[in-house]
PDB file of all heavy atoms in Angstrom:
ATOM      1  N   MET A   3      18.854  -3.508   1.005  1.00  0.00           N
ATOM      2  CA  MET A   3      18.586  -2.323   1.828  1.00  0.00           C
ATOM      3  C   MET A   3      19.129  -2.538   3.234  1.00  0.00           C
ATOM      4  O   MET A   3      19.131  -3.650   3.733  1.00  0.00           O
ATOM      5  CB  MET A   3      17.080  -2.078   1.912  1.00  0.00           C
ATOM      6  CG  MET A   3      16.500  -1.381   0.708  1.00  0.00           C
ATOM      7  SD  MET A   3      14.893  -0.656   1.011  1.00  0.00           S
ATOM      8  CE  MET A   3      13.868  -2.105   1.053  1.00  0.00           C
ATOM      9  N   ASN A   4      19.506  -1.452   3.814  1.00  0.00           N
ATOM     10  CA  ASN A   4      19.985  -1.567   5.186  1.00  0.00           C
ATOM     11  C   ASN A   4      18.861  -1.242   6.172  1.00  0.00           C
ATOM     12  O   ASN A   4      17.735  -0.931   5.777  1.00  0.00           O
ATOM     13  CB  ASN A   4      21.222  -0.689   5.420  1.00  0.00           C
ATOM     14  CG  ASN A   4      20.917   0.781   5.235  1.00  0.00           C
ATOM     15  OD1 ASN A   4      19.787   1.215   5.406  1.00  0.00           O
ATOM     16  ND2 ASN A   4      21.928   1.544   4.895  1.00  0.00           N
ATOM     17  N   THR A   5      19.158  -1.315   7.420  1.00  0.00           N
ATOM     18  CA  THR A   5      18.148  -1.146   8.465  1.00  0.00           C
ATOM     19  C   THR A   5      17.496   0.227   8.443  1.00  0.00           C
ATOM     20  O   THR A   5      16.288   0.340   8.628  1.00  0.00           O
ATOM     21  CB  THR A   5      18.795  -1.398   9.844  1.00  0.00           C
ATOM     22  OG1 THR A   5      19.400  -2.691   9.826  1.00  0.00           O
ATOM     23  CG2 THR A   5      17.766  -1.368  10.937  1.00  0.00           C
ATOM     24  N   ALA A   6      18.265   1.266   8.187  1.00  0.00           N
ATOM     25  CA  ALA A   6      17.705   2.618   8.157  1.00  0.00           C
ATOM     26  C   ALA A   6      16.687   2.755   7.027  1.00  0.00           C
ATOM     27  O   ALA A   6      15.638   3.388   7.196  1.00  0.00           O
ATOM     28  CB  ALA A   6      18.812   3.642   7.993  1.00  0.00           C
ATOM     29  N   GLU A   7      16.972   2.149   5.884  1.00  0.00           N
ATOM     30  CA  GLU A   7      16.028   2.213   4.762  1.00  0.00           C
ATOM     31  C   GLU A   7      14.749   1.457   5.092  1.00  0.00           C
ATOM     32  O   GLU A   7      13.657   1.885   4.719  1.00  0.00           O
ATOM     33  CB  GLU A   7      16.674   1.661   3.495  1.00  0.00           C
ATOM     34  CG  GLU A   7      17.768   2.575   2.955  1.00  0.00           C
ATOM     35  CD  GLU A   7      18.582   1.913   1.869  1.00  0.00           C
ATOM     36  OE1 GLU A   7      18.694   0.667   1.884  1.00  0.00           O
ATOM     37  OE2 GLU A   7      19.114   2.634   1.022  1.00  0.00           O
ATOM     38  N   TYR A   8      14.864   0.322   5.760  1.00  0.00           N
ATOM     39  CA  TYR A   8      13.671  -0.416   6.185  1.00  0.00           C
ATOM     40  C   TYR A   8      12.842   0.415   7.166  1.00  0.00           C
ATOM     41  O   TYR A   8      11.619   0.435   7.101  1.00  0.00           O
ATOM     42  CB  TYR A   8      14.053  -1.748   6.846  1.00  0.00           C
ATOM     43  CG  TYR A   8      14.399  -2.834   5.863  1.00  0.00           C
ATOM     44  CD1 TYR A   8      15.642  -3.454   5.903  1.00  0.00           C
ATOM     45  CD2 TYR A   8      13.489  -3.251   4.899  1.00  0.00           C
ATOM     46  CE1 TYR A   8      15.974  -4.455   5.011  1.00  0.00           C
ATOM     47  CE2 TYR A   8      13.806  -4.253   3.997  1.00  0.00           C
ATOM     48  CZ  TYR A   8      15.048  -4.855   4.053  1.00  0.00           C
ATOM     49  OH  TYR A   8      15.364  -5.838   3.179  1.00  0.00           O
ATOM     50  N   ALA A   9      13.517   1.100   8.076  1.00  0.00           N
ATOM     51  CA  ALA A   9      12.815   1.924   9.065  1.00  0.00           C
ATOM     52  C   ALA A   9      12.061   3.064   8.382  1.00  0.00           C
ATOM     53  O   ALA A   9      10.896   3.326   8.699  1.00  0.00           O
ATOM     54  CB  ALA A   9      13.803   2.475  10.082  1.00  0.00           C
ATOM     55  N   VAL A  10      12.697   3.723   7.430  1.00  0.00           N
ATOM     56  CA  VAL A  10      12.043   4.815   6.709  1.00  0.00           C
ATOM     57  C   VAL A  10      10.869   4.279   5.901  1.00  0.00           C
ATOM     58  O   VAL A  10       9.794   4.877   5.873  1.00  0.00           O
ATOM     59  CB  VAL A  10      13.053   5.558   5.808  1.00  0.00           C
ATOM     60  CG1 VAL A  10      12.358   6.525   4.880  1.00  0.00           C
ATOM     61  CG2 VAL A  10      14.074   6.288   6.665  1.00  0.00           C
ATOM     62  N   GLY A  11      11.050   3.149   5.235  1.00  0.00           N
ATOM     63  CA  GLY A  11       9.972   2.535   4.463  1.00  0.00           C
ATOM     64  C   GLY A  11       8.800   2.138   5.341  1.00  0.00           C
ATOM     65  O   GLY A  11       7.636   2.339   4.977  1.00  0.00           O
ATOM     66  N   THR A  12       9.091   1.596   6.509  1.00  0.00           N
ATOM     67  CA  THR A  12       8.041   1.199   7.442  1.00  0.00           C
ATOM     68  C   THR A  12       7.283   2.414   7.955  1.00  0.00           C
ATOM     69  O   THR A  12       6.047   2.408   8.014  1.00  0.00           O
ATOM     70  CB  THR A  12       8.640   0.414   8.624  1.00  0.00           C
ATOM     71  OG1 THR A  12       9.314  -0.738   8.109  1.00  0.00           O
ATOM     72  CG2 THR A  12       7.572  -0.019   9.597  1.00  0.00           C
ATOM     73  N   LEU A  13       8.003   3.475   8.308  1.00  0.00           N
ATOM     74  CA  LEU A  13       7.343   4.694   8.771  1.00  0.00           C
ATOM     75  C   LEU A  13       6.471   5.303   7.684  1.00  0.00           C
ATOM     76  O   LEU A  13       5.355   5.768   7.958  1.00  0.00           O
ATOM     77  CB  LEU A  13       8.379   5.709   9.238  1.00  0.00           C
ATOM     78  CG  LEU A  13       9.061   5.393  10.569  1.00  0.00           C
ATOM     79  CD1 LEU A  13      10.167   6.404  10.842  1.00  0.00           C
ATOM     80  CD2 LEU A  13       8.057   5.377  11.695  1.00  0.00           C
ATOM     81  N   ALA A  14       6.942   5.284   6.452  1.00  0.00           N
ATOM     82  CA  ALA A  14       6.154   5.823   5.340  1.00  0.00           C
ATOM     83  C   ALA A  14       4.884   5.002   5.140  1.00  0.00           C
ATOM     84  O   ALA A  14       3.804   5.553   4.915  1.00  0.00           O
ATOM     85  CB  ALA A  14       6.985   5.844   4.073  1.00  0.00           C
ATOM     86  N   ALA A  15       4.995   3.680   5.231  1.00  0.00           N
ATOM     87  CA  ALA A  15       3.832   2.816   5.069  1.00  0.00           C
ATOM     88  C   ALA A  15       2.817   3.039   6.184  1.00  0.00           C
ATOM     89  O   ALA A  15       1.611   3.087   5.937  1.00  0.00           O
ATOM     90  CB  ALA A  15       4.273   1.349   5.038  1.00  0.00           C
ATOM     91  N   VAL A  16       3.281   3.195   7.400  1.00  0.00           N
ATOM     92  CA  VAL A  16       2.387   3.438   8.535  1.00  0.00           C
ATOM     93  C   VAL A  16       1.705   4.797   8.400  1.00  0.00           C
ATOM     94  O   VAL A  16       0.508   4.926   8.653  1.00  0.00           O
ATOM     95  CB  VAL A  16       3.158   3.320   9.871  1.00  0.00           C
ATOM     96  CG1 VAL A  16       2.327   3.817  11.036  1.00  0.00           C
ATOM     97  CG2 VAL A  16       3.574   1.878  10.097  1.00  0.00           C
ATOM     98  N   ALA A  17       2.456   5.798   7.979  1.00  0.00           N
ATOM     99  CA  ALA A  17       1.875   7.127   7.784  1.00  0.00           C
ATOM    100  C   ALA A  17       0.812   7.091   6.693  1.00  0.00           C
ATOM    101  O   ALA A  17      -0.275   7.664   6.845  1.00  0.00           O
ATOM    102  CB  ALA A  17       2.957   8.132   7.429  1.00  0.00           C
ATOM    103  N   PHE A  18       1.093   6.406   5.589  1.00  0.00           N
ATOM    104  CA  PHE A  18       0.120   6.292   4.506  1.00  0.00           C
ATOM    105  C   PHE A  18      -1.125   5.558   4.973  1.00  0.00           C
ATOM    106  O   PHE A  18      -2.249   5.961   4.659  1.00  0.00           O
ATOM    107  CB  PHE A  18       0.745   5.564   3.308  1.00  0.00           C
ATOM    108  CG  PHE A  18      -0.194   5.412   2.156  1.00  0.00           C
ATOM    109  CD1 PHE A  18      -0.528   6.496   1.365  1.00  0.00           C
ATOM    110  CD2 PHE A  18      -0.745   4.178   1.862  1.00  0.00           C
ATOM    111  CE1 PHE A  18      -1.402   6.367   0.306  1.00  0.00           C
ATOM    112  CE2 PHE A  18      -1.619   4.033   0.809  1.00  0.00           C
ATOM    113  CZ  PHE A  18      -1.945   5.129   0.030  1.00  0.00           C
ATOM    114  N   ALA A  19      -0.956   4.489   5.736  1.00  0.00           N
ATOM    115  CA  ALA A  19      -2.100   3.743   6.251  1.00  0.00           C
ATOM    116  C   ALA A  19      -2.940   4.611   7.192  1.00  0.00           C
ATOM    117  O   ALA A  19      -4.173   4.558   7.164  1.00  0.00           O
ATOM    118  CB  ALA A  19      -1.624   2.487   6.975  1.00  0.00           C
ATOM    119  N   GLY A  20      -2.295   5.419   8.003  1.00  0.00           N
ATOM    120  CA  GLY A  20      -3.017   6.309   8.906  1.00  0.00           C
ATOM    121  C   GLY A  20      -3.829   7.349   8.155  1.00  0.00           C
ATOM    122  O   GLY A  20      -4.985   7.622   8.495  1.00  0.00           O
ATOM    123  N   ILE A  21      -3.229   7.922   7.120  1.00  0.00           N
ATOM    124  CA  ILE A  21      -3.954   8.916   6.314  1.00  0.00           C
ATOM    125  C   ILE A  21      -5.124   8.256   5.595  1.00  0.00           C
ATOM    126  O   ILE A  21      -6.232   8.801   5.561  1.00  0.00           O
ATOM    127  CB  ILE A  21      -2.991   9.584   5.312  1.00  0.00           C
ATOM    128  CG1 ILE A  21      -1.986  10.451   6.063  1.00  0.00           C
ATOM    129  CG2 ILE A  21      -3.747  10.409   4.273  1.00  0.00           C
ATOM    130  CD1 ILE A  21      -0.837  10.939   5.214  1.00  0.00           C
ATOM    131  N   LEU A  22      -4.908   7.083   5.044  1.00  0.00           N
ATOM    132  CA  LEU A  22      -5.977   6.363   4.349  1.00  0.00           C
ATOM    133  C   LEU A  22      -7.111   6.024   5.305  1.00  0.00           C
ATOM    134  O   LEU A  22      -8.292   6.185   4.961  1.00  0.00           O
ATOM    135  CB  LEU A  22      -5.412   5.098   3.721  1.00  0.00           C
ATOM    136  CG  LEU A  22      -6.340   4.294   2.816  1.00  0.00           C
ATOM    137  CD1 LEU A  22      -6.786   5.135   1.627  1.00  0.00           C
ATOM    138  CD2 LEU A  22      -5.646   3.043   2.333  1.00  0.00           C
ATOM    139  N   LEU A  23      -6.783   5.599   6.499  1.00  0.00           N
ATOM    140  CA  LEU A  23      -7.808   5.289   7.500  1.00  0.00           C
ATOM    141  C   LEU A  23      -8.600   6.532   7.862  1.00  0.00           C
ATOM    142  O   LEU A  23      -9.834   6.492   7.962  1.00  0.00           O
ATOM    143  CB  LEU A  23      -7.155   4.697   8.748  1.00  0.00           C
ATOM    144  CG  LEU A  23      -8.090   4.335   9.895  1.00  0.00           C
ATOM    145  CD1 LEU A  23      -9.045   3.216   9.479  1.00  0.00           C
ATOM    146  CD2 LEU A  23      -7.290   3.921  11.111  1.00  0.00           C
ATOM    147  N   LYS A  24      -7.917   7.647   8.030  1.00  0.00           N
ATOM    148  CA  LYS A  24      -8.589   8.907   8.367  1.00  0.00           C
ATOM    149  C   LYS A  24      -9.550   9.327   7.254  1.00  0.00           C
ATOM    150  O   LYS A  24     -10.677   9.753   7.518  1.00  0.00           O
ATOM    151  CB  LYS A  24      -7.527   9.982   8.606  1.00  0.00           C
ATOM    152  CG  LYS A  24      -8.065  11.268   9.129  1.00  0.00           C
ATOM    153  CD  LYS A  24      -8.491  11.133  10.567  1.00  0.00           C
ATOM    154  CE  LYS A  24      -8.801  12.496  11.136  1.00  0.00           C
ATOM    155  NZ  LYS A  24      -9.380  12.414  12.447  1.00  0.00           N
ATOM    156  N   VAL A  25      -9.116   9.183   6.012  1.00  0.00           N
ATOM    157  CA  VAL A  25      -9.968   9.555   4.874  1.00  0.00           C
ATOM    158  C   VAL A  25     -11.177   8.633   4.783  1.00  0.00           C
ATOM    159  O   VAL A  25     -12.312   9.093   4.600  1.00  0.00           O
ATOM    160  CB  VAL A  25      -9.151   9.524   3.558  1.00  0.00           C
ATOM    161  CG1 VAL A  25     -10.058   9.622   2.349  1.00  0.00           C
ATOM    162  CG2 VAL A  25      -8.138  10.655   3.546  1.00  0.00           C
ATOM    163  N   LEU A  26     -10.955   7.336   4.924  1.00  0.00           N
ATOM    164  CA  LEU A  26     -12.046   6.379   4.764  1.00  0.00           C
ATOM    165  C   LEU A  26     -13.056   6.439   5.900  1.00  0.00           C
ATOM    166  O   LEU A  26     -14.201   6.032   5.723  1.00  0.00           O
ATOM    167  CB  LEU A  26     -11.500   4.958   4.624  1.00  0.00           C
ATOM    168  CG  LEU A  26     -10.775   4.667   3.323  1.00  0.00           C
ATOM    169  CD1 LEU A  26     -10.224   3.252   3.325  1.00  0.00           C
ATOM    170  CD2 LEU A  26     -11.682   4.875   2.123  1.00  0.00           C
ATOM    171  N   THR A  27     -12.653   6.923   7.056  1.00  0.00           N
ATOM    172  CA  THR A  27     -13.589   6.997   8.176  1.00  0.00           C
ATOM    173  C   THR A  27     -14.234   8.373   8.297  1.00  0.00           C
ATOM    174  O   THR A  27     -15.007   8.599   9.225  1.00  0.00           O
ATOM    175  CB  THR A  27     -12.888   6.636   9.498  1.00  0.00           C
ATOM    176  OG1 THR A  27     -11.766   7.488   9.689  1.00  0.00           O
ATOM    177  CG2 THR A  27     -12.444   5.186   9.513  1.00  0.00           C
ATOM    178  N   SER A  28     -13.940   9.281   7.372  1.00  0.00           N
ATOM    179  CA  SER A  28     -14.594  10.585   7.419  1.00  0.00           C
ATOM    180  C   SER A  28     -16.055  10.434   7.000  1.00  0.00           C
ATOM    181  O   SER A  28     -16.415   9.533   6.248  1.00  0.00           O
ATOM    182  CB  SER A  28     -13.874  11.584   6.515  1.00  0.00           C
ATOM    183  OG  SER A  28     -14.084  11.259   5.161  1.00  0.00           O
ATOM    184  N   GLY A  29     -16.897  11.313   7.490  1.00  0.00           N
ATOM    185  CA  GLY A  29     -18.334  11.202   7.262  1.00  0.00           C
ATOM    186  C   GLY A  29     -18.730  11.266   5.808  1.00  0.00           C
ATOM    187  O   GLY A  29     -19.564  10.476   5.352  1.00  0.00           O
ATOM    188  N   SER A  30     -18.148  12.179   5.048  1.00  0.00           N
ATOM    189  CA  SER A  30     -18.547  12.331   3.642  1.00  0.00           C
ATOM    190  C   SER A  30     -18.152  11.117   2.810  1.00  0.00           C
ATOM    191  O   SER A  30     -18.910  10.679   1.946  1.00  0.00           O
ATOM    192  CB  SER A  30     -17.948  13.603   3.061  1.00  0.00           C
ATOM    193  OG  SER A  30     -16.548  13.563   3.144  1.00  0.00           O
ATOM    194  N   VAL A  31     -16.979  10.552   3.084  1.00  0.00           N
ATOM    195  CA  VAL A  31     -16.534   9.378   2.331  1.00  0.00           C
ATOM    196  C   VAL A  31     -17.383   8.170   2.708  1.00  0.00           C
ATOM    197  O   VAL A  31     -17.782   7.390   1.843  1.00  0.00           O
ATOM    198  CB  VAL A  31     -15.035   9.101   2.573  1.00  0.00           C
ATOM    199  CG1 VAL A  31     -14.609   7.799   1.924  1.00  0.00           C
ATOM    200  CG2 VAL A  31     -14.202  10.251   2.038  1.00  0.00           C
ATOM    201  N   GLN A  32     -17.708   8.025   3.983  1.00  0.00           N
ATOM    202  CA  GLN A  32     -18.564   6.920   4.403  1.00  0.00           C
ATOM    203  C   GLN A  32     -19.931   7.025   3.755  1.00  0.00           C
ATOM    204  O   GLN A  32     -20.489   6.017   3.309  1.00  0.00           O
ATOM    205  CB  GLN A  32     -18.713   6.893   5.924  1.00  0.00           C
ATOM    206  CG  GLN A  32     -17.558   6.234   6.620  1.00  0.00           C
ATOM    207  CD  GLN A  32     -17.820   6.072   8.117  1.00  0.00           C
ATOM    208  OE1 GLN A  32     -18.658   6.758   8.686  1.00  0.00           O
ATOM    209  NE2 GLN A  32     -17.094   5.178   8.727  1.00  0.00           N
ATOM    210  N   ALA A  33     -20.486   8.221   3.685  1.00  0.00           N
ATOM    211  CA  ALA A  33     -21.793   8.405   3.057  1.00  0.00           C
ATOM    212  C   ALA A  33     -21.733   8.045   1.580  1.00  0.00           C
ATOM    213  O   ALA A  33     -22.641   7.391   1.051  1.00  0.00           O
ATOM    214  CB  ALA A  33     -22.255   9.844   3.244  1.00  0.00           C
ATOM    215  N   ALA A  34     -20.672   8.449   0.903  1.00  0.00           N
ATOM    216  CA  ALA A  34     -20.522   8.130  -0.518  1.00  0.00           C
ATOM    217  C   ALA A  34     -20.390   6.625  -0.729  1.00  0.00           C
ATOM    218  O   ALA A  34     -21.003   6.064  -1.642  1.00  0.00           O
ATOM    219  CB  ALA A  34     -19.320   8.864  -1.100  1.00  0.00           C
ATOM    220  N   LEU A  35     -19.606   5.969   0.112  1.00  0.00           N
ATOM    221  CA  LEU A  35     -19.447   4.519  -0.009  1.00  0.00           C
ATOM    222  C   LEU A  35     -20.758   3.796   0.261  1.00  0.00           C
ATOM    223  O   LEU A  35     -21.103   2.842  -0.439  1.00  0.00           O
ATOM    224  CB  LEU A  35     -18.363   4.018   0.947  1.00  0.00           C
ATOM    225  CG  LEU A  35     -16.932   4.378   0.587  1.00  0.00           C
ATOM    226  CD1 LEU A  35     -15.983   3.948   1.710  1.00  0.00           C
ATOM    227  CD2 LEU A  35     -16.519   3.743  -0.722  1.00  0.00           C
ATOM    228  N   MET A  36     -21.494   4.239   1.261  1.00  0.00           N
ATOM    229  CA  MET A  36     -22.792   3.620   1.551  1.00  0.00           C
ATOM    230  C   MET A  36     -23.764   3.823   0.402  1.00  0.00           C
ATOM    231  O   MET A  36     -24.536   2.920   0.066  1.00  0.00           O
ATOM    232  CB  MET A  36     -23.378   4.165   2.854  1.00  0.00           C
ATOM    233  CG  MET A  36     -22.663   3.693   4.095  1.00  0.00           C
ATOM    234  SD  MET A  36     -22.643   1.891   4.258  1.00  0.00           S
ATOM    235  CE  MET A  36     -24.381   1.559   4.483  1.00  0.00           C
ATOM    236  N   ALA A  37     -23.736   4.990  -0.225  1.00  0.00           N
ATOM    237  CA  ALA A  37     -24.616   5.245  -1.378  1.00  0.00           C
ATOM    238  C   ALA A  37     -24.276   4.290  -2.522  1.00  0.00           C
ATOM    239  O   ALA A  37     -25.176   3.748  -3.170  1.00  0.00           O
ATOM    240  CB  ALA A  37     -24.482   6.686  -1.822  1.00  0.00           C
ATOM    241  N   VAL A  38     -23.002   4.080  -2.775  1.00  0.00           N
ATOM    242  CA  VAL A  38     -22.587   3.177  -3.839  1.00  0.00           C
ATOM    243  C   VAL A  38     -23.024   1.753  -3.520  1.00  0.00           C
ATOM    244  O   VAL A  38     -23.547   1.030  -4.389  1.00  0.00           O
ATOM    245  CB  VAL A  38     -21.060   3.254  -4.051  1.00  0.00           C
ATOM    246  CG1 VAL A  38     -20.564   2.136  -4.953  1.00  0.00           C
ATOM    247  CG2 VAL A  38     -20.678   4.611  -4.610  1.00  0.00           C
ATOM    248  N   ILE A  39     -22.838   1.328  -2.283  1.00  0.00           N
ATOM    249  CA  ILE A  39     -23.216  -0.031  -1.884  1.00  0.00           C
ATOM    250  C   ILE A  39     -24.724  -0.212  -1.967  1.00  0.00           C
ATOM    251  O   ILE A  39     -25.215  -1.219  -2.491  1.00  0.00           O
ATOM    252  CB  ILE A  39     -22.685  -0.340  -0.461  1.00  0.00           C
ATOM    253  CG1 ILE A  39     -21.162  -0.429  -0.494  1.00  0.00           C
ATOM    254  CG2 ILE A  39     -23.296  -1.628   0.071  1.00  0.00           C
ATOM    255  CD1 ILE A  39     -20.518  -0.473   0.877  1.00  0.00           C
ATOM    256  N   ASN A  40     -25.477   0.760  -1.469  1.00  0.00           N
ATOM    257  CA  ASN A  40     -26.932   0.656  -1.539  1.00  0.00           C
ATOM    258  C   ASN A  40     -27.434   0.615  -2.968  1.00  0.00           C
ATOM    259  O   ASN A  40     -28.354  -0.139  -3.291  1.00  0.00           O
ATOM    260  CB  ASN A  40     -27.580   1.828  -0.785  1.00  0.00           C
ATOM    261  CG  ASN A  40     -27.473   1.679   0.705  1.00  0.00           C
ATOM    262  OD1 ASN A  40     -27.360   0.580   1.223  1.00  0.00           O
ATOM    263  ND2 ASN A  40     -27.465   2.795   1.413  1.00  0.00           N
ATOM    264  N   ARG A  41     -26.829   1.423  -3.837  1.00  0.00           N
ATOM    265  CA  ARG A  41     -27.222   1.428  -5.248  1.00  0.00           C
ATOM    266  C   ARG A  41     -26.909   0.094  -5.889  1.00  0.00           C
ATOM    267  O   ARG A  41     -27.668  -0.422  -6.706  1.00  0.00           O
ATOM    268  CB  ARG A  41     -26.498   2.559  -5.983  1.00  0.00           C
ATOM    269  CG  ARG A  41     -27.095   2.865  -7.328  1.00  0.00           C
ATOM    270  CD  ARG A  41     -26.446   4.078  -7.994  1.00  0.00           C
ATOM    271  NE  ARG A  41     -26.179   5.172  -7.071  1.00  0.00           N
ATOM    272  CZ  ARG A  41     -25.043   5.848  -7.018  1.00  0.00           C
ATOM    273  NH1 ARG A  41     -24.052   5.546  -7.839  1.00  0.00           N
ATOM    274  NH2 ARG A  41     -24.889   6.833  -6.162  1.00  0.00           N
ATOM    275  N   ALA A  42     -25.793  -0.528  -5.525  1.00  0.00           N
ATOM    276  CA  ALA A  42     -25.403  -1.807  -6.094  1.00  0.00           C
ATOM    277  C   ALA A  42     -26.318  -2.938  -5.634  1.00  0.00           C
ATOM    278  O   ALA A  42     -26.577  -3.885  -6.373  1.00  0.00           O
ATOM    279  CB  ALA A  42     -23.959  -2.127  -5.727  1.00  0.00           C
ATOM    280  N   LEU A  43     -26.818  -2.841  -4.401  1.00  0.00           N
ATOM    281  CA  LEU A  43     -27.659  -3.906  -3.854  1.00  0.00           C
ATOM    282  C   LEU A  43     -29.128  -3.797  -4.289  1.00  0.00           C
ATOM    283  O   LEU A  43     -29.864  -4.763  -4.145  1.00  0.00           O
ATOM    284  CB  LEU A  43     -27.571  -3.901  -2.322  1.00  0.00           C
ATOM    285  CG  LEU A  43     -26.207  -4.295  -1.760  1.00  0.00           C
ATOM    286  CD1 LEU A  43     -26.216  -4.175  -0.248  1.00  0.00           C
ATOM    287  CD2 LEU A  43     -25.824  -5.692  -2.180  1.00  0.00           C
ATOM    288  N   LYS A  44     -29.526  -2.661  -4.834  1.00  0.00           N
ATOM    289  CA  LYS A  44     -30.928  -2.507  -5.248  1.00  0.00           C
ATOM    290  C   LYS A  44     -31.136  -2.979  -6.648  1.00  0.00           C
ATOM    291  O   LYS A  44     -30.339  -3.137  -7.446  1.00  0.00           O
ATOM    292  CB  LYS A  44     -31.367  -1.050  -5.121  1.00  0.00           C
ATOM    293  CG  LYS A  44     -31.527  -0.661  -3.672  1.00  0.00           C
ATOM    294  CD  LYS A  44     -32.079   0.735  -3.559  1.00  0.00           C
ATOM    295  CE  LYS A  44     -32.219   1.076  -2.089  1.00  0.00           C
ATOM    296  NZ  LYS A  44     -32.732   2.390  -1.872  1.00  0.00           N
TER     297      LYS A  44
END
């Protein structure tokens, strides 16, 4: 791959990570994850 392809791949990875972070830090997803963790620990 050349430099331009690496740059596009890096930007895509950063964008995906940003979207994933936004989803995981949303209130409804956090509540669901906490419910799963609490259920597993009981």
Side-chain angles (χ1 to χ4, degrees):
M3 280 198 286
N4 63 26
T5 305
E7 290 169 332
Y8 281 122
V10 170
T12 301
L13 287 174
V16 169
F18 180 73
I21 292 169
L22 187 61
L23 179 64
K24 188 72 170 172
V25 168
L26 290 177
T27 56
S28 70
S30 59
V31 173
Q32 278 187 340
L35 289 174
M36 288 302 294
V38 169
I39 292 169
N40 286 335
R41 195 175 319 134
L43 293 177
K44 288 185 180 180

